Amino acid sequence: MDGEWTWMSRKGAITIDDETLVKTVQANTGYVRLGYNIKLANGYTLEPLGMVVLYNGHTDREDQAYATLVKTPSGLEQIYDFGANLYFNPDLKLSLHYTHREGDPGDAGEGSTVNNYFFQGGVGAIQRGDWVGLGLIAIL
């Protein structure tokens, strides 16, 4: 089991009608991951695991505008990943995972690019979705 949680804060000055306001934008993010190795009779190892990732930024219009001005993400994002790895040996693994993603742009609304759920570099506005992945990983 491992995880981490980070509280973030960024301060910026905004000038409106010759008046300078200093605003602080805050957010927090983190994950927790849990896995367990089960030794199988044939010498293989099965590793079921799960992970939850959360991003909590501002969701109201005014604070999202300040977050954009100081180049900080806003809105909400959640990722839930569940899967299993089957290790044939230390250099060969079969992996099957399901990842559920969801996000909330807050008052910024649909089509906004307030966080990584709604934006991808080089692509622009997107909305990520769920996926199932199957992989064979070999260390050569």
Side-chain angles (χ1 to χ4, degrees):
M1 177 177 177
D2 72 314
E4 66 180 47
W5 199 259
T6 303
W7 286 267
M8 301 172 289
S9 178
R10 182 173 280 177
K11 190 180 290 188
I14 302 163
T15 302
I16 301 173
D17 297 330
D18 295 329
E19 183 181 343
T20 300
L21 303 170
V22 176
K23 290 291 190 176
T24 301
V25 177
Q26 298 176 335
N28 56 78
T29 187
Y31 77 94
V32 64
R33 178 174 48 200
L34 178 64
Y36 187 76
N37 289 342
I38 301 168
K39 300 289 185 187
L40 302 177
N42 55 8
Y44 298 168
T45 301
L46 179 64
E47 177 191 34
L49 53 98
M51 179 174 67
V52 176
V53 180
L54 302 173
Y55 175 79
N56 300 309
H58 290 289
T59 55
D60 63 277
R61 182 174 306 281
E62 183 177 340
D63 285 336
Q64 284 186 308
Y66 293 137
T68 299
L69 287 171
V70 297
K71 301 190 184 329
T72 298
S74 62
L76 306 173
E77 182 179 2
Q78 301 89 34
I79 301 170
Y80 306 96
D81 180 280
F82 302 98
N85 298 318
L86 178 61
Y87 293 87
F88 300 104
N89 61 52
D91 297 330
L92 186 62
K93 156 176 96 167
L94 181 66
S95 182
L96 175 65
H97 284 262
Y98 169 71
T99 301
H100 173 77
R101 293 186 75 162
E102 56 189 17
D104 180 357
D107 289 342
E110 294 298 319
S112 68
T113 58
V114 296
N115 67 37
N116 289 337
Y117 182 77
F118 301 103
F119 175 80
Q120 181 171 322
V123 175
I126 62 168
Q127 185 167 337
R128 298 183 192 276
D130 302 351
W131 63 273
V132 175
L134 176 64
L136 182 63
I137 297 96
I139 299 173
L140 305 174

